[in-house]
Amino acid sequence: MTETTTQHNKPAVDGITIDCVFFGFNKESLEVLLVQHAQGESKGKWGLLGGWLQLHESADDAAQRILQELTGLEDIYLEQLKAFTNPKRVLERRVVTIGYYTLVNREDYNIKASLKVIEAKWYKINEIPDLIFDHNEILDFSLLQLRNRVRQAPIGFNLLPEKFTLLQLMHLYEEILGIELDKSNFRRKVLHMKLLQALDEKQKDVSHRAAKLYKFDADIYKKLTEKGFNFEF
Amino acid sequence: MTETTTQHNKPAVDGITIDCVFFGFNKESLEVLLVQHAQGESKGKWGLLGGWLQLHESADDAAQRILQELTGLEDIYLEQLKAFTNPKRVLERRVVTIGYYTLVNREDYNIKASLKVIEAKWYKINEIPDLIFDHNEILDFSLLQLRNRVRQAPIGFNLLPEKFTLLQLMHLYEEILGIELDKSNFRRKVLHMKLLQALDEKQKDVSHRAAKLYKFDADIYKKLTEKGFNFEF
DNA sequence: CCAAAAGTGTTGTTGATACACCCATGT
DNA sequence: ACATGGGTGTATCAACAACACTTTTGG
């Protein structure tokens, strides 16, 4: 009835893969990096970043490795979504995939430096094409999860550069949650949380009043959570 | 890089299992049903309800089947937690497990009628023994998940009998969330949501004023969610 | 001077919190 | 009569939404 029962010795799967929804935020829109498949029955179609889970590694490690191989980035913020196990998700074979989503700062990611071999492209969240396998389902699930998590913990900052303005932050939340926010009320709320560190710096090269720059301080957040702090948006 | 690449043909796993945290609510305490293992290296130790994922079934189907085999219950409320993939979670072999948690009404479950072959026992949530493999980790994770989900959607009702009193419901939330609630404020809040259907029935055989019985109406909830309703506790 | 975004202030409403209190019922 | 939980009412305070207003800067 559990792993010690050797009733079914033959594995019920041909393998386990990892698939990552790779989120980035560009100006005012949330985007996902997709790669084009060059071979096999799915030639020409777009899909999520993925690879095989190896014998010796955990899924988290596998995801970091695969993303490093594909994009060159290390220590990316990522969270597991869940296992996708529909027996018909891949034709002919039984492949279970473990879905992830990752949040990256677009400034850290240089599309030319990486993915030389494969065609890669950013897609706006509401302009996603038909993807291979069940990748559309994984992507839809990741969006729900992101919208949930972003209200409960300050993970959205991973999508922004280190220094950002309050309005940038607000636009990020507007885009992710699909709502409109009031500038004044948003400022009050977010500053009241005392999660942000105000910098002695302002925007440059903007054709309007330069906004103050802030940075998210993980240490402050840590201290606040220890005191029983709740991030609610 | 994805499932179509046949670079790694040999499966990186010896098999995939399902493990379920089986929650029940008894009077004033949240409990979990554990089973004792009769064979193998884990003989005598307690663990979660589990079994192997079969070739033709999804993880959700597998979980339902396994729970049916073990407890006799059908159509149980369940949610996938995530995949647990630490390569050292099981000695000697590579077994990935997909964790689930399930909420059942204790009145529906008769411990004698089922699990004849295996030793099974309810454990209070803060009296959990050392479990096999990484089952303690799975259980801890499920508690976090349950606490989160119970605030966002009316899933807690699955732990109660069909007809219940407001105080019972309040005790359920107090126990799950580990907080104390104000009777008066709780009543107002929950009744204000209009999720509950007041019945023309009262408690019986209680040595104090009999409380009104309510029932959770899934249809009402459905209509409310369609209008953009938010269940927040 | 104007456009555009930064940033401040005000006001009404809602909802949470903390209590105090009365009601019904079995022993 | 009293213990036990059921159930109601109210005053206070904090959070939020809506919106009007002023400030800074480049062109």
Side-chain angles (χ1 to χ4, degrees):
Chain A
M1 298 307 169
T2 69
E3 288 94 321
T4 44
T5 311
T6 44
Q7 198 179 347
H8 312 285
N9 263 339
K10 283 183 195 160
V13 286
D14 296 316
I16 297 180
T17 56
I18 307 287
D19 282 301
C20 298
V21 182
F22 196 80
F23 283 112
F25 185 64
N26 190 21
K27 303 220 170 77
E28 306 226 332
S29 51
L30 185 64
E31 301 182 349
V32 171
L33 188 70
L34 299 176
V35 294
Q36 192 160 34
H37 285 235
Q39 36 178 274
E41 70 263 41
S42 55
K43 188 176 171 180
K45 280 187 105 178
W46 295 87
L48 301 173
L49 280 63
W52 294 93
L53 174 70
Q54 309 283 37
L55 184 62
H56 60 281
E57 64 188 355
S58 70
D60 284 7
D61 290 344
Q64 290 284 3
R65 172 184 56 76
I66 289 162
L67 290 173
Q68 202 277 324
E69 287 169 9
L70 291 176
T71 71
L73 297 180
E74 306 207 7
D75 280 330
I76 299 178
Y77 179 83
L78 53 78
E79 279 190 45
Q80 190 191 130
L81 294 166
K82 66 162 191 167
F84 292 82
T85 61
N86 186 327
K88 292 179 183 159
R89 60 178 295 280
V90 175
L91 285 178
E92 313 275 321
R93 289 191 292 165
R94 179 71 203 262
V95 181
V96 162
T97 198
I98 301 177
Y100 276 80
Y101 75 93
T102 81
L103 306 180
V104 295
N105 170 10
R106 283 284 286 268
E107 289 181 5
D108 290 345
Y109 172 75
N110 185 340
I111 203 166
K112 283 171 210 139
S114 55
L115 285 167
K116 280 169 226 149
V117 275
I118 318 177
E119 198 71 34
K121 198 175 152 191
W122 289 99
Y123 280 89
K124 283 199 197 344
I125 220 59
N126 40 26
E127 295 172 4
I128 304 288
D130 252 16
L131 304 179
I132 52 166
F133 309 133
D134 55 353
H135 287 195
N136 286 100
E137 188 192 332
I138 298 174
L139 207 154
D140 290 346
F141 188 87
S142 76
L143 260 172
L144 291 177
Q145 184 74 357
L146 175 61
R147 288 190 179 126
N148 251 311
R149 290 284 297 148
V150 100
R151 289 166 173 276
Q152 289 171 26
I155 60 168
F157 297 97
N158 292 295
L159 288 164
L160 291 178
E162 209 194 326
K163 303 170 181 179
F164 52 85
T165 72
L166 292 186
L167 261 282
Q168 272 179 289
L169 184 62
M170 186 175 104
H171 290 321
L172 174 68
Y173 277 93
E174 286 184 324
E175 172 74 4
I176 293 179
L177 300 176
I179 54 175
E180 288 221 327
L181 294 168
D182 181 275
K183 194 176 37 144
S184 162
N185 297 334
F186 182 84
R187 290 181 76 83
R188 232 195 320 277
K189 198 164 179 173
V190 78
L191 289 178
H192 188 237
M193 290 180 189
K194 305 204 172 161
L195 276 178
L196 298 185
Q197 191 181 326
L199 301 173
D200 275 335
E201 257 180 284
K202 298 206 165 191
Q203 276 182 313
K204 279 174 188 166
D205 303 317
V206 284
S207 73
H208 55 75
R209 177 172 171 181
K212 192 166 208 169
L213 291 172
Y214 291 83
K215 96 180 209 207
F216 170 70
D217 195 322
D219 288 345
I220 298 180
Y221 176 63
K222 215 173 168 185
K223 278 177 197 158
L224 287 171
T225 44
E226 280 162 11
K227 287 182 194 164
F229 170 77
N230 188 11
F231 182 91
E232 261 293 345
F233 240 88
Chain B
M1 299 302 174
T2 71
E3 289 94 323
T4 44
T5 310
T6 45
Q7 198 179 347
H8 312 286
N9 262 340
K10 285 183 195 160
V13 286
D14 295 317
I16 297 180
T17 56
I18 306 286
D19 282 302
C20 297
V21 182
F22 197 79
F23 283 111
F25 185 64
N26 189 22
K27 302 218 171 78
E28 305 225 334
S29 50
L30 186 63
E31 300 181 350
V32 171
L33 188 70
L34 299 176
V35 294
Q36 192 162 34
H37 286 233
Q39 37 177 274
E41 69 264 41
S42 56
K43 189 176 172 180
K45 282 187 102 180
W46 296 86
L48 301 173
L49 281 64
W52 295 94
L53 173 69
Q54 310 282 36
L55 184 62
H56 60 283
E57 64 189 355
S58 69
D60 284 7
D61 289 345
Q64 290 284 3
R65 171 183 58 76
I66 289 164
L67 291 173
Q68 202 277 324
E69 287 169 9
L70 290 176
T71 70
L73 297 180
E74 308 207 5
D75 280 330
I76 300 179
Y77 179 84
L78 54 78
E79 279 189 46
Q80 189 191 130
L81 294 166
K82 66 162 191 166
F84 293 83
T85 60
N86 187 326
K88 292 178 182 160
R89 60 177 295 279
V90 175
L91 285 177
E92 313 276 320
R93 291 189 292 165
R94 179 71 203 262
V95 180
V96 161
T97 198
I98 301 176
Y100 275 80
Y101 75 93
T102 80
L103 306 179
V104 295
N105 170 9
R106 283 284 286 268
E107 290 180 6
D108 290 346
Y109 172 75
N110 185 339
I111 204 167
K112 283 171 211 141
S114 54
L115 285 168
K116 279 168 229 150
V117 276
I118 319 178
E119 198 70 35
K121 197 175 151 192
W122 289 99
Y123 281 88
K124 285 201 196 339
I125 221 58
N126 38 26
E127 295 172 3
I128 303 289
D130 252 16
L131 304 179
I132 53 166
F133 309 132
D134 55 353
H135 286 196
N136 286 99
E137 186 192 334
I138 298 174
L139 206 155
D140 291 345
F141 188 88
S142 77
L143 260 172
L144 291 177
Q145 185 74 358
L146 175 61
R147 288 192 178 126
N148 251 311
R149 289 285 296 150
V150 99
R151 289 168 174 275
Q152 289 170 26
I155 61 169
F157 298 96
N158 292 295
L159 288 164
L160 291 178
E162 209 194 326
K163 302 169 183 180
F164 51 86
T165 71
L166 291 186
L167 264 280
Q168 271 180 288
L169 184 61
M170 187 175 102
H171 290 320
L172 174 68
Y173 277 93
E174 287 184 322
E175 172 74 4
I176 293 180
L177 300 176
I179 53 176
E180 289 222 325
L181 294 168
D182 181 276
K183 193 175 39 144
S184 162
N185 296 334
F186 181 84
R187 290 181 76 82
R188 232 196 319 277
K189 198 164 179 173
V190 78
L191 288 178
H192 187 235
M193 290 181 189
K194 306 206 172 158
L195 277 178
L196 299 184
Q197 191 180 328
L199 301 174
D200 276 334
E201 256 180 285
K202 298 206 165 190
Q203 276 182 314
K204 277 173 189 165
D205 304 318
V206 285
S207 73
H208 54 74
R209 176 172 172 182
K212 190 166 208 168
L213 291 172
Y214 291 82
K215 94 180 212 211
F216 169 69
D217 194 323
D219 288 345
I220 298 179
Y221 176 64
K222 215 173 168 185
K223 278 177 198 159
L224 286 171
T225 44
E226 280 162 11
K227 287 182 194 162
F229 170 76
N230 188 11
F231 182 90
E232 262 291 346
F233 241 89

